[in-house]
Structures are given as structure tokens and as C-alpha cells.
Amino acid sequence: MRDKGNSWSFPYELIALGDCAVIIRLGNEIDVETNQIVRHVSEYLEDRPFVGFIECVPSFAAVAVHYDPLLVRKSRNAAELQHTTIFETVCTRLKAYLSNERLTEADLPTRTIEIPVCYGGEHGPDLSFVAEHNGLSENEVISIHSAGSYLVHMLGFAPGFPYMGGMSEKIAAPRHRTPRTSTPQGSVGIAGNQTGVYSIATPGGWQLIGRTPLALFRPQDDIPSLLRPGDRVRFIPITSQQYMQYLEGER
Amino acid sequence: MSINVIRPGLLATIQDHGRFGYQKYGVLPGGAMDAGAARVANILVGNEGHEAVLEITFSGMELLIEKDMMLTVCGADMSVTASGKSLPLWRPALIRAGVVIKFGACVSGCRSYLAVAGGFDVPVVMGSRSTYLRGRIGGYEGRALRRGDRLLVNSPGLLSERIQHSLYSSSRLNDSFAVPTWHASQFAIADSLVNPIIRVMTGSHFELFTKESQTDLLSQTYQIAVQSDRMGYRLVGERNLKLAAPLDLLSEAVVNGTVQVPADGNPIVLLADRQTTGGYPRIAQVASVDIAVFAQLKPDDRFRFEAISLQEAEQLYLESEWDMRMLKAAIKTLY
């Protein structure tokens, strides 16, 4: 089941994701503008939830809306009672949101989060591979990686794991053919044109160039993730001594 | 009040209805794989539907009941015994202190749910008591149960106490347990586990697969692969599924029951401990009402998919919710 529409400023598509969720497709590209619209839509919905709304899951170019079909059905107004599916009622409600001109009015704060990284050595066993692969020295890889400003497009894959854009092609590197069975929490890696930080220990095939002592997944906090969509990330090189000091400070 | 774990069996974890509101931070909902059985279990002992229950996977668990308490076992039939006597499923049971409850071989299904009156007393993490094994949070110290663990139980509510009281005064109380004459085994899905048919809606990328693959998905028999767990089930069919043309997708949200197809053409059905987002094409989506049936299938089990419309899936969902409400109301009236 699908439905299409145009807000006052952007086209979108509504796609059923089973009988309890719908995807609002807002584009097909990974870029800053799409990320902005995704953030506007998810924040606007969260601030003004319709009856039956459970939660939003923003991604690169879409926002998924999870809903409780029973509550949506119960809260139908006179016009909505004519609908043949609950999905239709949810779409009608979403269209009303998406056609609201004030949707993109909110100020979206851009936070810059600095992530200290101890590059190379035992913390970054693949730094030499990434350097060799790109005909660079290890120090050049570190300075290119830490000079960048990375946009957090979305969180997914694991709790608090950021999908970031903006890495220089000069340090791109292919994944390991056989993924490691476990990658330590905090590992900073490169896969293709992407860079990321493992928020929990999990299997993975990324080239590991360093490790941060910061916890990205914070289950005890109200917001259990250090990073949020729309954040800018900067990596700050630290020594292994500073890495140990950070770890002790966090405890 | 507490329960002592004598043997944990293959895998036993504390689960509830799931962790909601944090998927945007990559935190998966988790929760009971057969959410229906977990809910019925809670209702039968007079709890709210979302209390924490014990999810027991395959056989081998043994529990020592340290004080008199009311509990129930729903879901898979694992030939459960209480001090050697067969313990009937799908009804509340008052269990005497000192009784040992054993889960034997799987007769049907592979996940049993044990609910206690009052629910298990474990900390709430991000709004839920569910264990998320990989994230090491929730449930009992964020991990699967081990020998020697002691599970604490909250004090039962009024409805639980009334059911418990009636079992105490029952003439059927022996030195191990007492159960009422009524039961809720109409919720048992054992019948659905013989030549199972799992109902799906076609997914958003269904039409991007070849015509043959579209037909194959809905006509061939699938087998559950051994590499299947709480994250998802891998399926093996005679013919692999192929896209009509290469497709490069951006990661976006997935849900329980999403059927995605990685490059090797063998579908994966995502379940409770799935990731919040995925980048593989979604060929189909299991109807919510059939996720419980699917989650009771074991490795090597065979089944077929059958297509239904979104409208039918919604109707089935509503009917199952109404059944659940009826059960709750019936118990309240009875006690």
C-alpha cells in the first residue's frame, strides 16, 4: 500500500511497513538538505503526536512512524470512520502534518560533539592498512580523519551507532572480507567512504583506525545516545596515556 | 518471594512487551518473541499484560519454587512437570514451596513463557524490563539466566490475590500444586505449527524482484536455517530470490516480521532483537498476528508463506486484540 503527496515545499511518499508502521519517504539521497527535512518531520511529529502514535525512527531519507492500530481506530473522527483501512487513517493524519507550513519553522540546533580518539597501535590495528591502501603515511591518515567535520545522518545498526557522512575520499578503504567476530566498544573504523564508531562490542568488518574512551551508548541516561541525528562530529587525536586518563575519569 | 534457577537450559531470559521510544537512538524494542503467549500468561495470573516474564527457549530449565506462589506456563509445550507431576499449561497454578518445575522436551513450539503473580522484580531500563543480550542491559543483570540465580518476585496485586485465594481453597490442591478447571488453551497455537502457513503482505520492494522470485516466495516451502536466533530467522528455499535489476538502497527502518533479502537470495525474517534499521530490499512483511506462530518454529522446521492484504492483516490484528481483552474481562468477572 502506498500513497503520495506534496507538502508546500517537498514531495513525499507514504509506504506501509506491515500493519503497525508506515514509512514517510522524503528523498533518495544522503545529503544535508534531506537530513534537515527528516529531522523537521520527526521532531514535529514527536512534539504533536496523534492518538495511537508510538514512535518515530528517522533514517537517511525517511521517517518511519510506529503506531498502535487499535488506538488509531478508536480515535477516528467522523470523516475517518469512512476509511477502509487503519493505514488510510494514519496516512490522512500524516498528510495533515506534512502539509503544514510551520513544519520546517522550528530551529534545529546543530551541536558539535568532540570525540577523542587514540589512533593506531593496539587501538587501531588497521591504521597501517588504510595508510598503505591510499598511499599515505599513518600520520597523514590521522590528520585527514581528524580534520573532517562529520554529519550524523542517523543512528542504527546498534544502540547509539552513528551513520556519519563527510569523510574524505583520500582515506576510504574497503571492509575486511571476513568480519571480525567481535569489535571492541569505542572502535573507530572506516568502511568504504564512511567512518563510524562502534557503540557496543559487536561483530563487524570495518577497518579499525583507533578507539575512543567515550561511551556512545548510555543506557542509564534519559537520552541513551551521545550522538543525535544532525550533530556534527569532530575527532580529536589523543595519546594512549590520555586515553587511559579519560577511561579513569569516566569511571 | 523468589525462584531459584537450578538449571538454565539452553537460553532463558527475562522479557516483557518490549522497549519503545528509543528506536531513533538505535535501541531495539526486543521483548518476548511470542508476545501473545507472554501476554496471556500475565493475564492468567492477574497481572497487567506488560509485566516481565521468563522466556524459556528449548528444553532443560529447572526451577526451585522457594515459597508458595501462583504462576503459569504458556506458549510452547515442553512437557512441564512440577515435582514430577505433569503441570497443565495455559491456566494459573498455585505452586507449593519446595516444588521443582522442570521443562522437558519440546512437544510443540520452542519458547515457553512463565509468568508469576506480581511479575519478576528486575530494574526497568529505558522503560522496559526486557533483556537485550548484545547490549548487556535489562532483565537479570543484562544477561541470560545461569545456575544459582535468584529471581525476585513483586508482591501480587488484588486480582492475583483473589485467584490465588480460590486456588488455596480448592479441593484439587495436592502437595505440589492446584490448578482451576478452566483454561485458556484456545490461545495455544500448536495447531498452527503443523504444516504452518505464515501470512505476509508484499513488501515495498516486492515488485523489484523477478517475476519468478515473486512467485517462488509465495509458493515454495521454506526451511528455518540453524543460524536463527532472537534477531531473526534465516530461511532456505529451493530457489534463491533475485532482484530484476541491481538496487542500491539507503538504510531505513525495519520492524518485527520484515522479510529482507540479502545478496545471497535467502530471505531473513527479522524478529524481536532485530536492528532498528536495515539496508536490504524488503520483499514481504509478516502479518503481526502470525509473528508469534513464526517465532515458535524451530531450526529445520518447514513452512510456506501466503499473501494477504493489509486490510486482512489489520482485521486479524484487531480480532486478536479483542480476544485478549475478552480473556482479561472474563477473568475479572470470574474472580
Side-chain angles (χ1 to χ4, degrees), chain B residues 152-174:
Chain B
L152 300 182
V153 175
N154 296 310
S155 43
L158 279 177
L159 179 58
S160 303
E161 278 184 354
R162 287 205 294 274
I163 306 171
Q164 202 162 322
H165 182 77
S166 85
L167 289 172
Y168 262 119
S169 48
S170 153
S171 58
R172 297 151 52 85
L173 178 62
N174 58 33

Side-chain angles (χ1 to χ4, degrees), chain B residues 29-30 32 254-258 269-274 285-286 288 291:
Chain B
V254 290
V255 294
N256 286 10
T258 297
V269 182
L270 302 177
L271 295 168
D273 280 356
R274 62 184 169 77
Q285 177 68 44
V286 178
S288 289
I291 291 175

